[in-house]
Amino acid sequence: MSAIGNGTNIFWHECPVGKSERQKLLDQKGCVVWITGLSGSGKSTLACSLSRELHAKGKLSYVLDGDNLRHGLNKDLGFKFEDRTENIRRVGEVAKLFADAGLICIASLISPYRKDRDACRAMLPDLSFIEVYMNMPLELCEERDAKGLYKLARAKKIKGFTGIDDPYEPPLNCEIELSLQDGVCPPPGTMSGRVVTYLEEKGFLEDK
Amino acid sequence: MASLQGASSLFHGSLVEAVFGSPALALKIGFVSLFPSRLDAGCASLGLSVDNGERSSSLAPIRAVNETRTAYINGKADGVQGENLDQISTVGNSTNIKWHQCSVGKLERQELLQQKGCVIWITGLSGSGKSTVACALSRALHARGKLTYVLDGDNVRHGLNCDLSFKAEDRAENIRRIGEVAKLFSDAGVICIASLISPYRKDRADCRALLPEGDFIEVFMDVPLKICEGRDPKGLYKLARSGKIKGFTGVDDPYEPPLKCEMVLKQTEDDCTTTPYDMAEQVVSYLEEKGYLHA
């Protein structure tokens, strides 16, 4: 602030710290790794393994888990169609902020509708949205039934459950697809290794 | 509870809870000796697994903290590959127990960043200098090698909160969402600087309640209305006075100053010497004293 003429306080401020400066500090590039797939397909497991592997390389990541967010930011939303869309939109916006902050933001949500995922992709600069499709068969996911939800859905105690009576629209053109190898689900470490390799090849794990 | 991400609903009332007393403790230990049950799949979804080979029927919780740390430290030094995160060991009658670590937690992120995540909530009238101080503060911290992020009320209204208007319930929702996002940033280890009028005490108190004690640092820009209006950086006071905008804070909507906040940055008509840089340095000193500028 300075005084000029009749003592008016003229306001001045320099630019705030920007994305490129933050990336330089962190020695990485911010991006969003968007893990999509059926309930029980292993999204959270992959997110966990990926964050561990990145951390071991000294890279800062943060997991936005669909369930976690529904306890906080999105606690006012249910599971009807428009609420699902709003849930994804908000997560997309938050992921965008995290990527802007320079973090590798790992979003782990069913996110069943193509339109909603594409809308999130559009929020981010080119190439910064890395869609990872957990392409696991419904049978496998249901067998795992990690949260007992398939059982409830089959017994009609919950309605509109993805994979049972609500559709999952697989990506048509995603960056990484993870699926069974010879009929077996690869270990989480193998799958996260593929994502880390992708991030490395595309230059996200350094600031250059 | 950062390391729980997504876990609580899964583990609630489960056998894990019975064994460990709390899901948080189970996950901190990072290892559960498992047995045929739905729990297996549940744990698998959270990065804990059993080998498909022999399983013991014994229920012996294993304290694997040291192994976790060793693996982590080695990983950091050697650039560990994904598979090596799983270690196989034998404990008691349980052979081929496989375990892997939980998602990275807040403490580990803070160690990486050499700082502690928190929220600096800058509140005050329009034109009181919130954005200016936020900017200067992010600069000052960046110069010290600290990672910050500014959540500006105006910016967020163009993205996350683009669906909200300025009516009372939407203002409250605007603040709530920003509070929740700031909490996420703080959990990520970032020093999150939220800069918004946030005129109502209750809304600010609700945001404070989201965070652990001490991590919500309220900074009140105590600048008289006359000075703010004299600046009128966005021309809004002029519009408000001419009745072209309604419910403008300070003109026809109240600003409720904090009764008890961590810092007050005061300016009076007689004081033209305190610069945004000086004010930012006051905040930096506070953060230093409270230990936020190291892990």
Side-chain angles (χ1 to χ4, degrees), chain B residues 4 16 19-31 63:
Chain B
L4 272 179
V16 169
V19 167
F20 290 95
S22 79
L25 181 58
L27 286 176
K28 272 190 180 144
I29 291 173
F31 185 118
R63 190 164 286 278

Side-chain angles (χ1 to χ4, degrees), chain B residues 106 117-121 178-187 190 192 204-217 292:
Chain B
K106 186 177 182 182
C118 60
V119 175
I120 298 160
W121 192 277
I178 291 173
E180 290 284 2
V181 173
K183 174 184 175 179
L184 293 171
F185 270 105
S186 173
D187 189 53
V190 180
C192 181
R204 298 191 305 260
D206 287 346
C207 290
R208 181 186 284 276
L210 294 172
L211 280 122
E213 183 81 37
D215 288 358
F216 184 87
I217 298 150
Y292 285 96

Side-chain angles (χ1 to χ4, degrees), chain A residues 1 11 14-15 17 21 44-45 48 51-53 55-56 62-63 72-73 76 89-90 100 144 146 190, chain B residues 5 10 41 44-45 72 76 101-104 108 132 135 139 142 149 159-160 163 176-177 187 231 267:
Chain A
M1 273 194 304
F11 247 81
E14 50 176 280
C15 308
V17 172
E21 290 167 288
S44 297
T45 307
C48 167
S51 72
R52 273 268 144 234
E53 217 176 311
H55 188 76
Y62 193 68
V63 177
L73 175 68
D76 58 320
R89 186 193 74 82
R90 289 190 202 169
D100 189 52
R144 288 171 177 169
T190 304
Chain B
Q5 302 197 16
L10 174 62
S45 80
Y72 166 67
K76 219 175 172 177
Q101 296 144 328
C102 324
S103 182
V104 174
E108 290 166 294
T132 308
C135 173
R139 278 262 147 240
H142 185 79
Y149 195 68
L160 175 67
D163 58 321
R176 184 194 76 81
R177 287 187 200 172
D187 189 53
R231 293 168 182 170
Q267 277 200 288

Side-chain angles (χ1 to χ4, degrees), chain A residues 57-94:
Chain A
K57 288 181 171 329
K59 303 302 165 191
L60 183 67
S61 67
Y62 193 68
V63 177
L64 295 179
D65 184 284
D67 288 341
N68 205 28
L69 285 163
R70 276 181 177 278
H71 285 102
L73 175 68
N74 295 346
K75 66 182 181 192
D76 58 320
L77 302 175
F79 285 91
K80 57 187 203 253
F81 180 82
E82 44 284 20
D83 278 4
R84 285 186 195 243
T85 295
E86 176 62 5
N87 181 48
I88 302 301
R89 186 193 74 82
R90 289 190 202 169
V91 175
E93 290 284 2
V94 173

Side-chain angles (χ1 to χ4, degrees), chain A residues 93-134:
Chain A
E93 290 284 2
V94 173
K96 176 183 176 179
L97 293 171
F98 270 85
D100 189 52
L103 281 84
I104 296 164
C105 181
I106 306 162
S108 161
L109 307 96
I110 299 175
S111 47
Y113 308 126
R114 223 172 266 139
K115 180 172 177 289
D116 296 338
R117 296 191 306 261
D118 290 346
C120 291
R121 182 186 281 279
M123 290 174 195
L124 278 125
D126 269 345
L127 307 174
S128 302
F129 184 87
I130 297 133
E131 194 171 11
V132 178
Y133 172 35
M134 299 297 288

